[in-house]
Amino acid sequence: MKVLLVLLVTFCSVRCTPTVVYVCDSPNAMRYHLNEHCRGLSNCGHRIIKMTMEEAVRSHKTLCKWEK
């Protein structure tokens, strides 16, 4: 039982940490980026904001095709 609890805590500490992603703050932006210097963000005419991957996915954004 203790081993299971240790494994669960270890897994959660790695997987439960929110991943920060970068998004162009344009109403038409459809992608999120793992790297703030991704060339997919070079066309952003608005500011680039940070958010969690969970927030980006909830906003119906998908991973940038350059980063797949």
Side-chain angles (χ1 to χ4, degrees):
M1 185 67 175
K2 287 184 179 182
V3 173
L4 182 60
L5 182 59
V6 169
L7 287 173
L8 182 61
V9 169
T10 303
F11 177 77
C12 190
S13 67
V14 173
R15 300 290 296 167
C16 296
T17 305
T19 302
V20 174
V21 297
Y22 303 90
V23 177
C24 180
D25 195 23
S26 163
N28 299 323
M30 299 172 19
R31 307 285 184 193
Y32 66 86
H33 307 265
L34 302 174
N35 181 340
E36 65 183 313
H37 302 291
C38 175
R39 68 191 224 185
L41 284 169
S42 64
N43 290 332
C44 180
H46 294 75
R47 67 188 176 124
I48 297 170
I49 58 173
K50 290 182 190 180
M51 64 174 59
T52 65
M53 187 182 298
E54 183 179 288
E55 291 171 319
V57 170
R58 232 183 296 133
S59 300
H60 306 288
K61 299 194 182 333
T62 57
L63 178 61
C64 172
K65 292 183 179 182
W66 293 112
E67 298 186 77
K68 284 188 177 184

